[in-house]
Amino acid sequence: MRSDLIKKGIERTPNRAMLRAVGFGDGDFSKPIIGVANGYSNLTPCNVGLNDLANRAMEALRDANTMPQMFGTITVSDGISMGTEGMKYSLVSREVIADSIETVCNAQQMDGLVAVGGCDKNMPGAMIAMARLNIPSIFVYGGTIKPGHLHGKDLTIVSAFEAVGQYSAHKMSEAEVQEIERHACPGSGSCGGMFTANTMSSAIEAMGMSLLYSSTMAAEDSEKSESTAKSSEVLARAVQKQILPRQILTREAFENAIAVVMAIGGSTNAVLHLLAIAHAAEVPLTLDDFETIRARVPVLCDLKPSGKYVTTELHKAGGIPQVMKILLVHGLLHGDALTITGQTVAEALADVPSEPRTDQDVIRSWNNPVHAHGHLAILKGNLAPEGAVAKITGVKNPKITGPARVFESEEECLQAVLAGRIKAGDVLVIRYEGPKGGPGMREMLAPTSAIIGAGLGDAVGLITDGRFSGGTYGMVVGHVAPEAAVGGTIALVQEGDSITIDAEQRLLQLNVSETEIARRKASWRPRSSRYPRGVLAKYARLVSSSSLGAVTDLHLDTNNN
């Protein structure tokens, strides 16, 4: 094992002396050393319960005859920083999390890893680290928040964002907004719809890097603690058997994850994060693969933000294993893919029914899907030659051609929406919010929620080189690449230009002649960075296109300097 260097030889006496100071005894140096990456903080409800789970993992790992060592990693609350300058650090935090876990595990020569996370970037950050490290690893999700309730309706954090738009449109009183704010988040756990956190936890379960049913458990329920202990036991066995992440994170595993994300109506951010994890695992994966799988996978779950139910209700209905079994039966899942338990996907799902229960309608049967095809489409055209990502199911008007309303930042757009300056038929363009241009590729939840709240969700289009929250829905297109900061066509759009978004044709088009586009391109100049130093400056220099996952180690091959 990797930690043998501290277990053998008189020259390792100083190493062992320091380990004795943190609790090692004579018999412990022969045991595998397991890192427990703990994402606990009280910055956000997503992570406030993680310390209890990390401690439970430590106990279970000791009982499994290993030596666990806990270390911290960071989180950023997307929901709290949304709509502010602070949101620029959200996607950056994915890289910080990955780098920190990789750093500690390699520096301390860990034999295995249990990563405990909650908020959106905790999961892809941990998975990127696992793929780089390639030591036996398992992910423990902190769990979803239970829904808030008001006047007989379920609430999520998106309810609060949309309430602001309704208030601005004079459809809701200030007192009603405050009541929604008071009831939207009743306790600990990650945002309750099929937003980014629950989407990524589901994808990790589908890939076999976490235990079945663990991705949809409520943070406050006792089964979450029990699942954490079980995860630790499974990891201890994986260390003994040397079941490695890159044996699990194969091309087939990523295709399984994409199929599940499509079936559950997951977040657009899954595209960005799965591309990044695949890059770390050295598995070929492109935007076009998402479109190929989308075409053959139906949406089987009626979940928020565009649907009816929250994630705790998906869990009660059978969770991700039920969705996976339906896909497996119909040939849309690779049953021979390996999981961290040592079982194949098909073996792990053997006892799951082939059809969902008839006493619920959260998970639909194969013959009665919510939508016939997946909801995450890859659009291309002269506005996005590298591609862009859109949610297209449930949109009343899958095609819109209208005048561009150009905004140089999220804040500019939000002010226009709240001031009532946006009209039906407009196509909003929010640019210089991409990975380099933001920098950090903020999520546009504030303006999109305001649009929904104002009753314009089916009447306007919105395109951006930034991202969208998993809570966003409507005729919105994100991840436009190349981004404005590198001279992509989105940087050349002028107020009033005609733009076409055609979900059916997968088209994102600026209706301006190629000659005019070339003329504008010739006069375009890059902007000076607002962040000449610090982490945002480093990120902007290193980050790749969103079409490649916005990774930061793409061009670090020393053979290509």
Side-chain angles (χ1 to χ4, degrees), residues 364-423:
R364 300 282 191 88
S365 67
W366 179 262
N367 295 322
N368 183 35
V370 180
H371 302 287
H373 303 287
H375 63 303
L376 298 181
I378 306 304
L379 276 56
K380 293 187 177 182
N382 67 359
L383 256 174
E386 291 180 14
V389 183
K391 278 186 180 179
I392 64 172
T393 53
V395 176
K396 291 183 180 179
N397 300 311
K399 179 178 179 179
I400 183 172
T401 296
R405 303 295 308 281
V406 180
F407 304 97
E408 307 298 324
S409 70
E410 176 188 10
E411 288 86 354
E412 283 188 18
C413 180
L414 178 62
Q415 290 169 8
V417 176
L418 295 180
R421 298 201 303 269
I422 302 303
K423 300 177 181 179

Tab-separated table of all heavy atoms in Angstrom, residues 364-423:
chain	number	residue	atom	x	y	z
A	364	ARG	N	-42.141	7.981	-13.240
A	364	ARG	CA	-43.106	7.470	-14.223
A	364	ARG	C	-42.632	6.139	-14.794
A	364	ARG	O	-41.432	5.830	-14.797
A	364	ARG	CB	-43.266	8.473	-15.355
A	364	ARG	CG	-43.754	9.850	-14.938
A	364	ARG	CD	-45.237	9.872	-14.678
A	364	ARG	NE	-45.705	11.251	-14.529
A	364	ARG	CZ	-46.100	12.032	-15.538
A	364	ARG	NH1	-46.063	11.566	-16.786
A	364	ARG	NH2	-46.512	13.257	-15.320
A	365	SER	N	-43.573	5.391	-15.311
A	365	SER	CA	-43.244	4.146	-16.007
A	365	SER	C	-42.655	4.478	-17.373
A	365	SER	O	-42.809	5.596	-17.887
A	365	SER	CB	-44.487	3.282	-16.175
A	365	SER	OG	-45.410	3.901	-17.059
A	366	TRP	N	-42.004	3.486	-17.968
A	366	TRP	CA	-41.393	3.671	-19.274
A	366	TRP	C	-42.412	4.121	-20.317
A	366	TRP	O	-42.108	4.950	-21.182
A	366	TRP	CB	-40.738	2.369	-19.718
A	366	TRP	CG	-40.107	2.442	-21.068
A	366	TRP	CD1	-40.619	2.032	-22.251
A	366	TRP	CD2	-38.826	3.002	-21.383
A	366	TRP	NE1	-39.751	2.283	-23.281
A	366	TRP	CE2	-38.635	2.872	-22.772
A	366	TRP	CE3	-37.821	3.579	-20.611
A	366	TRP	CZ2	-37.485	3.309	-23.407
A	366	TRP	CZ3	-36.666	4.016	-21.255
A	366	TRP	CH2	-36.514	3.880	-22.632
A	367	ASN	N	-43.633	3.610	-20.239
A	367	ASN	CA	-44.661	3.920	-21.225
A	367	ASN	C	-45.409	5.223	-20.942
A	367	ASN	O	-46.288	5.612	-21.721
A	367	ASN	CB	-45.675	2.768	-21.302
A	367	ASN	CG	-45.044	1.494	-21.819
A	367	ASN	OD1	-44.197	1.531	-22.714
A	367	ASN	ND2	-45.441	0.359	-21.264
A	368	ASN	N	-45.066	5.883	-19.841
A	368	ASN	CA	-45.749	7.125	-19.491
A	368	ASN	C	-44.744	8.158	-18.980
A	368	ASN	O	-44.850	8.666	-17.867
A	368	ASN	CB	-46.821	6.859	-18.425
A	368	ASN	CG	-47.605	8.101	-18.080
A	368	ASN	OD1	-47.865	8.946	-18.939
A	368	ASN	ND2	-47.976	8.232	-16.813
A	369	PRO	N	-43.747	8.502	-19.795
A	369	PRO	CA	-42.709	9.430	-19.322
A	369	PRO	C	-43.239	10.852	-19.211
A	369	PRO	O	-44.272	11.202	-19.790
A	369	PRO	CB	-41.643	9.333	-20.405
A	369	PRO	CG	-42.405	9.019	-21.651
A	369	PRO	CD	-43.524	8.113	-21.202
A	370	VAL	N	-42.516	11.659	-18.458
A	370	VAL	CA	-42.843	13.086	-18.396
A	370	VAL	C	-42.581	13.728	-19.756
A	370	VAL	O	-43.380	14.530	-20.249
A	370	VAL	CB	-42.004	13.782	-17.311
A	370	VAL	CG1	-42.341	15.271	-17.236
A	370	VAL	CG2	-42.222	13.126	-15.954
A	371	HIS	N	-41.455	13.357	-20.361
A	371	HIS	CA	-41.105	13.798	-21.711
A	371	HIS	C	-40.457	12.629	-22.435
A	371	HIS	O	-39.760	11.816	-21.820
A	371	HIS	CB	-40.151	14.993	-21.685
A	371	HIS	CG	-40.687	16.182	-20.954
A	371	HIS	ND1	-41.687	16.982	-21.455
A	371	HIS	CD2	-40.362	16.705	-19.738
A	371	HIS	CE1	-41.957	17.944	-20.592
A	371	HIS	NE2	-41.166	17.812	-19.547
A	372	ALA	N	-40.652	12.574	-23.731
A	372	ALA	CA	-40.169	11.428	-24.506
A	372	ALA	C	-38.658	11.402	-24.643
A	372	ALA	O	-38.068	10.325	-24.834
A	372	ALA	CB	-40.815	11.438	-25.895
A	373	HIS	N	-38.029	12.564	-24.551
A	373	HIS	CA	-36.577	12.644	-24.715
A	373	HIS	C	-35.990	13.525	-23.617
A	373	HIS	O	-36.684	14.321	-22.995
A	373	HIS	CB	-36.212	13.206	-26.090
A	373	HIS	CG	-36.779	12.421	-27.230
A	373	HIS	ND1	-36.300	11.191	-27.595
A	373	HIS	CD2	-37.820	12.689	-28.067
A	373	HIS	CE1	-36.997	10.725	-28.617
A	373	HIS	NE2	-37.929	11.613	-28.921
A	374	GLY	N	-34.674	13.373	-23.424
A	374	GLY	CA	-33.989	14.121	-22.381
A	374	GLY	C	-34.119	15.620	-22.545
A	374	GLY	O	-34.427	16.135	-23.627
A	375	HIS	N	-33.844	16.322	-21.450
A	375	HIS	CA	-34.121	17.758	-21.378
A	375	HIS	C	-32.913	18.635	-21.606
A	375	HIS	O	-33.054	19.833	-21.823
A	375	HIS	CB	-34.682	18.073	-19.996
A	375	HIS	CG	-33.692	17.792	-18.902
A	375	HIS	ND1	-33.123	16.538	-18.723
A	375	HIS	CD2	-33.121	18.595	-17.963
A	375	HIS	CE1	-32.279	16.588	-17.711
A	375	HIS	NE2	-32.253	17.817	-17.238
A	376	LEU	N	-31.712	18.080	-21.549
A	376	LEU	CA	-30.494	18.884	-21.707
A	376	LEU	C	-29.988	18.749	-23.134
A	376	LEU	O	-29.439	17.719	-23.521
A	376	LEU	CB	-29.415	18.435	-20.722
A	376	LEU	CG	-29.744	18.576	-19.240
A	376	LEU	CD1	-28.561	18.120	-18.389
A	376	LEU	CD2	-30.116	20.014	-18.886
A	377	ALA	N	-30.173	19.800	-23.911
A	377	ALA	CA	-29.797	19.761	-25.327
A	377	ALA	C	-28.542	20.581	-25.554
A	377	ALA	O	-28.293	21.583	-24.880
A	377	ALA	CB	-30.927	20.307	-26.188
A	378	ILE	N	-27.760	20.145	-26.514
A	378	ILE	CA	-26.566	20.871	-26.928
A	378	ILE	C	-26.902	21.637	-28.201
A	378	ILE	O	-27.211	21.047	-29.233
A	378	ILE	CB	-25.391	19.911	-27.161
A	378	ILE	CG1	-25.156	19.025	-25.937
A	378	ILE	CG2	-24.141	20.700	-27.536
A	378	ILE	CD1	-24.916	19.776	-24.646
A	379	LEU	N	-26.862	22.963	-28.097
A	379	LEU	CA	-27.158	23.824	-29.234
A	379	LEU	C	-25.859	24.336	-29.834
A	379	LEU	O	-24.892	24.613	-29.121
A	379	LEU	CB	-28.019	25.018	-28.794
A	379	LEU	CG	-29.525	24.834	-28.713
A	379	LEU	CD1	-29.923	23.695	-27.807
A	379	LEU	CD2	-30.205	26.134	-28.254
A	380	LYS	N	-25.858	24.445	-31.157
A	380	LYS	CA	-24.703	25.000	-31.860
A	380	LYS	C	-25.198	25.962	-32.933
A	380	LYS	O	-26.381	26.027	-33.247
A	380	LYS	CB	-23.841	23.891	-32.466
A	380	LYS	CG	-23.155	23.016	-31.417
A	380	LYS	CD	-22.179	22.026	-32.044
A	380	LYS	CE	-21.456	21.226	-30.967
A	380	LYS	NZ	-20.467	20.277	-31.537
A	381	GLY	N	-24.277	26.689	-33.494
A	381	GLY	CA	-24.584	27.688	-34.507
A	381	GLY	C	-23.506	28.751	-34.467
A	381	GLY	O	-22.519	28.620	-33.740
A	382	ASN	N	-23.689	29.836	-35.233
A	382	ASN	CA	-22.611	30.829	-35.267
A	382	ASN	C	-22.450	31.570	-33.944
A	382	ASN	O	-21.414	32.187	-33.706
A	382	ASN	CB	-22.796	31.807	-36.429
A	382	ASN	CG	-24.017	32.700	-36.276
A	382	ASN	OD1	-24.763	32.611	-35.308
A	382	ASN	ND2	-24.237	33.562	-37.270
A	383	LEU	N	-23.449	31.484	-33.041
A	383	LEU	CA	-23.307	32.077	-31.719
A	383	LEU	C	-22.597	31.161	-30.740
A	383	LEU	O	-22.134	31.605	-29.696
A	383	LEU	CB	-24.693	32.445	-31.158
A	383	LEU	CG	-25.065	33.920	-31.186
A	383	LEU	CD1	-26.502	34.123	-30.746
A	383	LEU	CD2	-24.120	34.745	-30.332
A	384	ALA	N	-22.534	29.876	-31.082
A	384	ALA	CA	-21.890	28.912	-30.185
A	384	ALA	C	-21.281	27.775	-30.994
A	384	ALA	O	-21.749	26.635	-30.936
A	384	ALA	CB	-22.897	28.360	-29.178
A	385	PRO	N	-20.234	28.061	-31.763
A	385	PRO	CA	-19.642	26.994	-32.583
A	385	PRO	C	-19.093	25.835	-31.764
A	385	PRO	O	-19.060	24.702	-32.243
A	385	PRO	CB	-18.537	27.715	-33.365
A	385	PRO	CG	-18.346	29.031	-32.694
A	385	PRO	CD	-19.620	29.373	-32.024
A	386	GLU	N	-18.650	26.092	-30.515
A	386	GLU	CA	-18.197	24.991	-29.652
A	386	GLU	C	-19.357	24.314	-28.935
A	386	GLU	O	-19.209	23.213	-28.420
A	386	GLU	CB	-17.199	25.510	-28.609
A	386	GLU	CG	-15.865	25.941	-29.176
A	386	GLU	CD	-14.923	26.440	-28.096
A	386	GLU	OE1	-15.199	26.209	-26.892
A	386	GLU	OE2	-13.909	27.064	-28.436
A	387	GLY	N	-20.483	24.999	-28.879
A	387	GLY	CA	-21.660	24.433	-28.233
A	387	GLY	C	-22.166	25.275	-27.081
A	387	GLY	O	-21.463	26.147	-26.551
A	388	ALA	N	-23.412	25.032	-26.707
A	388	ALA	CA	-24.066	25.657	-25.565
A	388	ALA	C	-25.052	24.644	-25.010
A	388	ALA	O	-25.404	23.666	-25.680
A	388	ALA	CB	-24.774	26.940	-25.975
A	389	VAL	N	-25.495	24.868	-23.777
A	389	VAL	CA	-26.350	23.897	-23.086
A	389	VAL	C	-27.680	24.550	-22.748
A	389	VAL	O	-27.719	25.659	-22.197
A	389	VAL	CB	-25.679	23.381	-21.796
A	389	VAL	CG1	-26.548	22.316	-21.130
A	389	VAL	CG2	-24.296	22.819	-22.099
A	390	ALA	N	-28.773	23.847	-23.065
A	390	ALA	CA	-30.103	24.375	-22.790
A	390	ALA	C	-30.990	23.290	-22.197
A	390	ALA	O	-30.858	22.114	-22.528
A	390	ALA	CB	-30.736	24.901	-24.074
A	391	LYS	N	-31.877	23.717	-21.287
A	391	LYS	CA	-32.977	22.855	-20.860
A	391	LYS	C	-34.136	23.112	-21.818
A	391	LYS	O	-34.606	24.237	-21.945
A	391	LYS	CB	-33.423	23.208	-19.443
A	391	LYS	CG	-32.595	22.614	-18.333
A	391	LYS	CD	-33.243	22.916	-16.986
A	391	LYS	CE	-32.438	22.321	-15.845
A	391	LYS	NZ	-33.049	22.619	-14.526
A	392	ILE	N	-34.634	22.054	-22.475
A	392	ILE	CA	-35.625	22.301	-23.526
A	392	ILE	C	-36.981	21.657	-23.264
A	392	ILE	O	-37.959	22.010	-23.910
A	392	ILE	CB	-35.103	21.814	-24.894
A	392	ILE	CG1	-34.900	20.295	-24.902
A	392	ILE	CG2	-33.825	22.546	-25.265
A	392	ILE	CD1	-34.585	19.748	-26.281
A	393	THR	N	-37.083	20.716	-22.341
A	393	THR	CA	-38.368	20.068	-22.120
A	393	THR	C	-39.256	20.949	-21.252
A	393	THR	O	-38.794	21.652	-20.359
A	393	THR	CB	-38.183	18.707	-21.432
A	393	THR	OG1	-37.390	18.884	-20.249
A	393	THR	CG2	-37.494	17.729	-22.335
A	394	GLY	N	-40.521	20.909	-21.534
A	394	GLY	CA	-41.469	21.697	-20.769
A	394	GLY	C	-41.540	23.143	-21.195
A	394	GLY	O	-42.322	23.921	-20.639
A	395	VAL	N	-40.739	23.538	-22.188
A	395	VAL	CA	-40.776	24.902	-22.691
A	395	VAL	C	-41.921	25.013	-23.694
A	395	VAL	O	-42.000	24.246	-24.648
A	395	VAL	CB	-39.434	25.267	-23.370
A	395	VAL	CG1	-39.508	26.660	-23.974
A	395	VAL	CG2	-38.298	25.189	-22.359
A	396	LYS	N	-42.820	25.964	-23.453
A	396	LYS	CA	-44.002	26.087	-24.323
A	396	LYS	C	-43.635	26.522	-25.722
A	396	LYS	O	-44.269	26.114	-26.698
A	396	LYS	CB	-44.990	27.078	-23.701
A	396	LYS	CG	-45.656	26.568	-22.429
A	396	LYS	CD	-46.676	27.565	-21.897
A	396	LYS	CE	-47.323	27.034	-20.630
A	396	LYS	NZ	-48.309	28.002	-20.057
A	397	ASN	N	-42.628	27.376	-25.825
A	397	ASN	CA	-42.206	27.877	-27.132
A	397	ASN	C	-40.764	27.440	-27.388
A	397	ASN	O	-39.834	28.122	-26.974
A	397	ASN	CB	-42.306	29.404	-27.179
A	397	ASN	CG	-43.718	29.884	-26.927
A	397	ASN	OD1	-44.655	29.387	-27.536
A	397	ASN	ND2	-43.866	30.850	-26.026
A	398	PRO	N	-40.565	26.283	-28.048
A	398	PRO	CA	-39.199	25.771	-28.235
A	398	PRO	C	-38.378	26.557	-29.247
A	398	PRO	O	-37.209	26.283	-29.438
A	398	PRO	CB	-39.440	24.341	-28.731
A	398	PRO	CG	-40.781	24.387	-29.386
A	398	PRO	CD	-41.585	25.376	-28.616
A	399	LYS	N	-39.000	27.553	-29.876
A	399	LYS	CA	-38.271	28.369	-30.844
A	399	LYS	C	-38.643	29.825	-30.633
A	399	LYS	O	-39.810	30.164	-30.454
A	399	LYS	CB	-38.609	27.940	-32.270
A	399	LYS	CG	-37.901	28.766	-33.343
A	399	LYS	CD	-38.243	28.256	-34.728
A	399	LYS	CE	-37.553	29.103	-35.813
A	399	LYS	NZ	-37.854	28.601	-37.180
A	400	ILE	N	-37.647	30.684	-30.620
A	400	ILE	CA	-37.892	32.118	-30.505
A	400	ILE	C	-36.875	32.855	-31.358
A	400	ILE	O	-35.689	32.512	-31.383
A	400	ILE	CB	-37.825	32.590	-29.035
A	400	ILE	CG1	-38.151	34.084	-28.931
A	400	ILE	CG2	-36.471	32.287	-28.406
A	400	ILE	CD1	-38.292	34.586	-27.493
A	401	THR	N	-37.354	33.828	-32.113
A	401	THR	CA	-36.489	34.768	-32.824
A	401	THR	C	-36.902	36.157	-32.389
A	401	THR	O	-38.085	36.527	-32.489
A	401	THR	CB	-36.619	34.623	-34.348
A	401	THR	OG1	-36.158	33.333	-34.743
A	401	THR	CG2	-35.781	35.692	-35.062
A	402	GLY	N	-35.941	36.904	-31.867
A	402	GLY	CA	-36.297	38.223	-31.366
A	402	GLY	C	-35.103	39.134	-31.265
A	402	GLY	O	-33.954	38.723	-31.501
A	403	PRO	N	-35.339	40.383	-30.902
A	403	PRO	CA	-34.254	41.362	-30.810
A	403	PRO	C	-33.393	41.124	-29.578
A	403	PRO	O	-33.893	40.817	-28.493
A	403	PRO	CB	-34.996	42.696	-30.691
A	403	PRO	CG	-36.318	42.336	-30.057
A	403	PRO	CD	-36.663	40.973	-30.597
A	404	ALA	N	-32.100	41.273	-29.744
A	404	ALA	CA	-31.163	41.095	-28.634
A	404	ALA	C	-31.257	42.276	-27.676
A	404	ALA	O	-31.295	43.435	-28.099
A	404	ALA	CB	-29.738	40.976	-29.165
A	405	ARG	N	-31.298	41.944	-26.383
A	405	ARG	CA	-31.161	42.941	-25.322
A	405	ARG	C	-29.850	42.600	-24.621
A	405	ARG	O	-29.759	41.588	-23.923
A	405	ARG	CB	-32.343	42.868	-24.360
A	405	ARG	CG	-33.709	43.053	-25.033
A	405	ARG	CD	-33.839	44.457	-25.621
A	405	ARG	NE	-33.537	45.476	-24.641
A	405	ARG	CZ	-34.394	45.891	-23.688
A	405	ARG	NH1	-35.608	45.372	-23.611
A	405	ARG	NH2	-34.044	46.836	-22.835
A	406	VAL	N	-28.836	43.404	-24.824
A	406	VAL	CA	-27.463	43.047	-24.465
A	406	VAL	C	-27.095	43.639	-23.102
A	406	VAL	O	-27.258	44.845	-22.869
A	406	VAL	CB	-26.475	43.528	-25.546
A	406	VAL	CG1	-25.053	43.144	-25.165
A	406	VAL	CG2	-26.849	42.932	-26.905
A	407	PHE	N	-26.554	42.770	-22.243
A	407	PHE	CA	-26.124	43.174	-20.909
A	407	PHE	C	-24.711	42.660	-20.667
A	407	PHE	O	-24.402	41.507	-20.983
A	407	PHE	CB	-27.085	42.642	-19.843
A	407	PHE	CG	-28.508	43.067	-20.070
A	407	PHE	CD1	-29.407	42.219	-20.709
A	407	PHE	CD2	-28.937	44.321	-19.676
A	407	PHE	CE1	-30.712	42.611	-20.942
A	407	PHE	CE2	-30.252	44.729	-19.900
A	407	PHE	CZ	-31.140	43.875	-20.533
A	408	GLU	N	-23.881	43.520	-20.091
A	408	GLU	CA	-22.479	43.184	-19.880
A	408	GLU	C	-22.227	42.472	-18.560
A	408	GLU	O	-21.096	42.143	-18.238
A	408	GLU	CB	-21.620	44.453	-19.937
A	408	GLU	CG	-21.823	45.285	-21.193
A	408	GLU	CD	-21.456	44.547	-22.476
A	408	GLU	OE1	-20.493	43.760	-22.450
A	408	GLU	OE2	-22.151	44.739	-23.491
A	409	SER	N	-23.292	42.234	-17.780
A	409	SER	CA	-23.154	41.522	-16.516
A	409	SER	C	-24.525	41.043	-16.064
A	409	SER	O	-25.561	41.518	-16.558
A	409	SER	CB	-22.549	42.430	-15.430
A	409	SER	OG	-23.480	43.431	-15.056
A	410	GLU	N	-24.521	40.134	-15.107
A	410	GLU	CA	-25.761	39.655	-14.515
A	410	GLU	C	-26.532	40.792	-13.858
A	410	GLU	O	-27.768	40.887	-13.977
A	410	GLU	CB	-25.442	38.570	-13.481
A	410	GLU	CG	-26.658	38.065	-12.720
A	410	GLU	CD	-26.289	37.132	-11.575
A	410	GLU	OE1	-25.088	37.019	-11.252
A	410	GLU	OE2	-27.208	36.538	-10.993
A	411	GLU	N	-25.818	41.669	-13.131
A	411	GLU	CA	-26.489	42.746	-12.408
A	411	GLU	C	-27.256	43.674	-13.351
A	411	GLU	O	-28.381	44.092	-13.038
A	411	GLU	CB	-25.461	43.569	-11.610
A	411	GLU	CG	-24.888	42.856	-10.399
A	411	GLU	CD	-23.688	41.972	-10.716
A	411	GLU	OE1	-23.367	41.817	-11.916
A	411	GLU	OE2	-23.077	41.455	-9.781
A	412	GLU	N	-26.660	44.003	-14.505
A	412	GLU	CA	-27.338	44.868	-15.470
A	412	GLU	C	-28.650	44.244	-15.928
A	412	GLU	O	-29.675	44.924	-16.044
A	412	GLU	CB	-26.437	45.121	-16.677
A	412	GLU	CG	-25.331	46.119	-16.460
A	412	GLU	CD	-24.621	46.447	-17.762
A	412	GLU	OE1	-25.202	46.175	-18.840
A	412	GLU	OE2	-23.493	46.964	-17.715
A	413	CYS	N	-28.619	42.956	-16.202
A	413	CYS	CA	-29.813	42.271	-16.681
A	413	CYS	C	-30.891	42.236	-15.595
A	413	CYS	O	-32.071	42.496	-15.859
A	413	CYS	CB	-29.461	40.861	-17.127
A	413	CYS	SG	-30.885	39.926	-17.755
A	414	LEU	N	-30.496	41.904	-14.376
A	414	LEU	CA	-31.463	41.823	-13.284
A	414	LEU	C	-32.157	43.164	-13.076
A	414	LEU	O	-33.380	43.224	-12.884
A	414	LEU	CB	-30.767	41.379	-11.998
A	414	LEU	CG	-31.661	41.292	-10.752
A	414	LEU	CD1	-32.772	40.267	-10.951
A	414	LEU	CD2	-30.823	40.940	-9.523
A	415	GLN	N	-31.396	44.248	-13.112
A	415	GLN	CA	-31.995	45.574	-12.933
A	415	GLN	C	-33.037	45.853	-14.011
A	415	GLN	O	-34.106	46.408	-13.728
A	415	GLN	CB	-30.896	46.640	-12.963
A	415	GLN	CG	-29.980	46.620	-11.749
A	415	GLN	CD	-28.749	47.511	-11.928
A	415	GLN	OE1	-28.646	48.254	-12.905
A	415	GLN	NE2	-27.814	47.421	-10.992
A	416	ALA	N	-32.746	45.458	-15.251
A	416	ALA	CA	-33.689	45.692	-16.349
A	416	ALA	C	-34.970	44.887	-16.159
A	416	ALA	O	-36.079	45.384	-16.415
A	416	ALA	CB	-33.037	45.336	-17.680
A	417	VAL	N	-34.833	43.637	-15.709
A	417	VAL	CA	-36.014	42.803	-15.486
A	417	VAL	C	-36.869	43.363	-14.360
A	417	VAL	O	-38.093	43.521	-14.488
A	417	VAL	CB	-35.609	41.345	-15.169
A	417	VAL	CG1	-36.853	40.505	-14.836
A	417	VAL	CG2	-34.859	40.719	-16.338
A	418	LEU	N	-36.224	43.693	-13.242
A	418	LEU	CA	-36.976	44.190	-12.085
A	418	LEU	C	-37.611	45.552	-12.368
A	418	LEU	O	-38.649	45.894	-11.775
A	418	LEU	CB	-36.053	44.288	-10.870
A	418	LEU	CG	-35.498	42.962	-10.332
A	418	LEU	CD1	-34.594	43.207	-9.126
A	418	LEU	CD2	-36.623	42.010	-9.959
A	419	ALA	N	-37.011	46.322	-13.282
A	419	ALA	CA	-37.561	47.639	-13.628
A	419	ALA	C	-38.649	47.557	-14.689
A	419	ALA	O	-39.222	48.583	-15.077
A	419	ALA	CB	-36.440	48.561	-14.101
A	420	GLY	N	-38.931	46.351	-15.193
A	420	GLY	CA	-39.988	46.177	-16.182
A	420	GLY	C	-39.604	46.581	-17.580
A	420	GLY	O	-40.479	46.864	-18.420
A	421	ARG	N	-38.300	46.591	-17.882
A	421	ARG	CA	-37.842	47.041	-19.196
A	421	ARG	C	-37.734	45.912	-20.217
A	421	ARG	O	-37.331	46.143	-21.356
A	421	ARG	CB	-36.487	47.757	-19.068
A	421	ARG	CG	-36.533	49.008	-18.196
A	421	ARG	CD	-35.364	49.949	-18.487
A	421	ARG	NE	-34.076	49.308	-18.325
A	421	ARG	CZ	-33.386	49.304	-17.187
A	421	ARG	NH1	-33.894	49.895	-16.103
A	421	ARG	NH2	-32.202	48.731	-17.116
A	422	ILE	N	-38.071	44.687	-19.818
A	422	ILE	CA	-37.999	43.542	-20.725
A	422	ILE	C	-39.405	43.228	-21.223
A	422	ILE	O	-40.367	43.185	-20.450
A	422	ILE	CB	-37.395	42.317	-20.015
A	422	ILE	CG1	-36.004	42.656	-19.486
A	422	ILE	CG2	-37.348	41.120	-20.950
A	422	ILE	CD1	-35.019	43.146	-20.526
A	423	LYS	N	-39.510	42.992	-22.530
A	423	LYS	CA	-40.813	42.730	-23.148
A	423	LYS	C	-40.860	41.320	-23.733
A	423	LYS	O	-39.834	40.728	-24.076
A	423	LYS	CB	-41.074	43.756	-24.260
A	423	LYS	CG	-41.098	45.198	-23.786
A	423	LYS	CD	-41.288	46.149	-24.961
A	423	LYS	CE	-41.288	47.605	-24.499
A	423	LYS	NZ	-41.451	48.543	-25.636
